[in-house]
Amino acid sequence: MKELKELTRENIWNLAPYSCARNEFSGKNARVYLDANENPYNSPYNRYPDPLQLEVKKQVARVKRVAEENIFLGNGSDEAIDLMYRCFTEPKIDNVVAIDPTYGMYKVCADINDVEYRTVSLQADFSLDGDRLLQACDSHTKIVWLCSPNNPTGNALDRNEIVKILNGFEGLVVVDEAYSDFSSQQPFRFDLEKYPNIVVLNTMSKAWGSAGIRMGMAFASKEIIDIMNKVKYPYNINSLTQKHALDILNDPYEVDKWVRTILLERTRVVDAFKMLPICRKVYPSDANFILVEVNDAQKTYDYLVDKGIIVRNRNSVHLCNGCLRITIGTKSENQELLAALRTM
């Protein structure tokens, strides 16, 4: 990869980050806090949260098997996505390259940051051609976006094709592994030392059943993480989120049970869908959802809405004509969906 200084926006590289009261204090025996202009009443909510979430990162490091210095915690993965643009791209000059179709926030953040967003279509079977993607890059391409397992297609991208991009691209490669807990493919977060240009995203929203607390993760080299920490808002993860994250991270076995149950239900739902008259195709999935091609996506979507069942209509998305994206719910929720479709 290029030198990180060359990849980083110049003003960000030279930025002197805001130093909050809790950053400056590092003592262990404090009893009286008169440094941050906090209200002394209404404990514990009167106190600012740990700006670097050190206790949470210790637990994340234990569960995810990644060193604490290689972890960034954000207000959802969306904060990490936005920070990649703010730290490493120059508006109106640089560009990024992404697969298509994929998660929509990569483009939204590109548009917000006034950065050109280039797309490279997946193959008809949603597979990745690494050579074609590399051909779309030029000297102003700073970031490549890959989502694996991909959203909305559900499939894990070929690991060898991702490695080809990591080895062939001089900029940063973001591999969004939000759904990796549902996949048998080895996560790339274990390869940070091997690929210094990789940034791996993960989240508490999917397998960890905690979408409401808004906590995402980025795993990367210490140098990349340090730059992201320079730019993030001082107290980006609130105290309530940190507390809930610690609670759920302390019980990973319960999460493993949820994942196993969802995978069993995914198999059952896929088998049942293939028997439905409206079903044309069920695409292979490595995630907690399936992409299904039906006879009339809009009609089926509207019918389910009338029944109080909400799925995602992906009919207008590139390569997803006629498709619905359906999250795997509880057994009873899945049964209600299937029963409704059998009587359509």
Side-chain angles (χ1 to χ4, degrees):
M1 64 179 287
K2 294 180 180 178
E3 292 293 326
L4 190 59
K5 182 177 181 179
E6 189 178 351
L7 293 173
T8 305
R9 192 188 296 183
E10 184 178 0
N11 68 303
I12 298 300
W13 185 265
N14 297 323
L15 176 70
Y18 174 75
S19 180
C20 62
R22 293 301 182 259
N23 278 129
E24 296 172 1
F25 169 70
S26 58
K28 297 181 179 179
N29 300 311
R31 294 180 296 104
V32 179
Y33 292 94
L34 303 176
D35 59 338
N37 298 338
E38 299 155 323
N39 189 320
Y41 307 108
N42 196 37
S43 179
Y45 307 113
N46 61 324
R47 299 301 179 190
Y48 286 109
D50 176 4
L52 291 176
Q53 311 95 30
L54 297 179
E55 190 175 356
V56 181
K57 285 179 181 175
K58 286 182 181 178
Q59 287 297 88
V60 172
R62 179 180 64 85
V63 172
K64 297 291 186 178
R65 290 181 284 163
V66 175
E68 294 170 45
E69 66 181 14
N70 299 125
I71 300 171
F72 170 86
L73 300 182
N75 186 352
S77 296
D78 293 339
E79 181 181 8
I81 293 168
D82 184 57
L83 279 175
M84 292 300 297
Y85 286 98
R86 293 167 63 196
C87 294
F88 302 109
T89 63
E90 193 70 49
K92 298 183 184 299
I93 296 175
D94 292 328
N95 66 75
V96 302
V97 175
I99 57 175
D100 187 29
T102 195
Y103 180 45
M105 279 302 295
Y106 310 144
K107 184 179 188 307
V108 170
C109 287
D111 292 343
I112 291 171
N113 288 278
D114 204 7
V115 172
E116 180 189 357
Y117 184 84
R118 300 179 177 180
T119 60
V120 175
S121 178
L122 294 174
Q123 309 281 61
D125 62 354
F126 302 140
S127 61
L128 169 66
D129 185 333
D131 290 323
R132 285 185 58 222
L133 189 142
L134 288 170
Q135 289 169 9
C137 302
D138 62 22
S139 61
H140 287 290
T141 306
K142 290 292 189 68
I143 301 170
V144 165
W145 294 99
L146 302 172
C147 186
S148 182
N150 190 31
N151 176 15
T153 61
N155 62 306
L157 303 178
D158 188 311
R159 187 178 177 85
N160 292 328
E161 295 299 305
I162 296 176
V163 169
K164 183 186 296 183
I165 294 167
L166 285 164
N167 289 329
F169 180 57
E170 293 186 325
L172 299 174
V173 179
V174 181
V175 182
D176 190 342
E177 296 186 334
Y179 301 96
S180 62
D181 295 283
F182 304 100
S183 172
S184 60
Q185 189 178 89
Q186 178 178 312
F188 272 94
R189 69 175 183 271
F190 299 137
D191 298 321
L192 298 182
E193 292 186 6
K194 190 174 182 180
Y195 304 110
N197 60 332
I198 196 171
V199 178
V200 179
L201 303 183
N202 206 232
T203 180
M204 298 291 288
S205 297
K206 310 304 178 185
W208 293 83
S210 300
I213 73 169
R214 306 309 303 131
M215 197 181 92
M217 295 162 259
F219 308 115
S221 69
K222 180 182 183 301
E223 293 74 18
I224 293 174
I225 297 298
D226 287 346
I227 291 172
M228 295 175 73
N229 280 329
K230 283 175 67 174
V231 179
K232 78 171 185 70
Y233 292 120
Y235 303 109
N236 61 324
I237 307 292
N238 68 70
S239 299
L240 298 177
T241 290
Q242 292 190 43
K243 181 181 184 306
H244 180 87
L246 284 170
D247 290 343
I248 196 77
L249 287 164
N250 278 324
D251 194 8
Y253 301 108
E254 180 69 10
V255 175
D256 288 342
K257 185 173 70 175
W258 295 342
V259 170
R260 289 195 301 271
T261 301
I262 289 169
L263 292 179
L264 288 172
E265 275 298 292
R266 187 181 72 189
T267 298
R268 188 179 73 87
V269 171
V270 167
D271 291 343
F273 249 92
K274 290 177 179 178
M275 304 290 290
L276 293 173
I278 65 164
C279 180
R280 292 182 177 178
K281 183 174 184 177
V282 181
Y283 289 92
S285 176
D286 297 287
N288 67 329
F289 62 86
I290 58 175
L291 189 71
V292 182
E293 183 180 349
V294 295
N295 291 334
D296 188 328
Q298 188 63 53
K299 179 181 177 182
T300 304
Y301 175 81
D302 293 339
Y303 168 79
L304 289 173
V305 169
D306 287 341
K307 295 285 187 181
I309 301 170
I310 310 302
V311 298
R312 198 78 189 271
N313 187 354
R314 301 286 77 188
N315 183 56
S316 61
V317 173
H318 176 60
L319 297 182
C320 297
N321 184 50
C323 289
L324 302 175
R325 194 194 71 190
I326 301 171
T327 306
I328 303 301
T330 64
K331 186 172 184 177
S332 61
E333 289 173 332
N334 300 331
Q335 199 57 44
E336 186 173 351
L337 167 71
L338 293 167
L341 291 174
R342 289 187 185 108
T343 58
M344 183 176 173

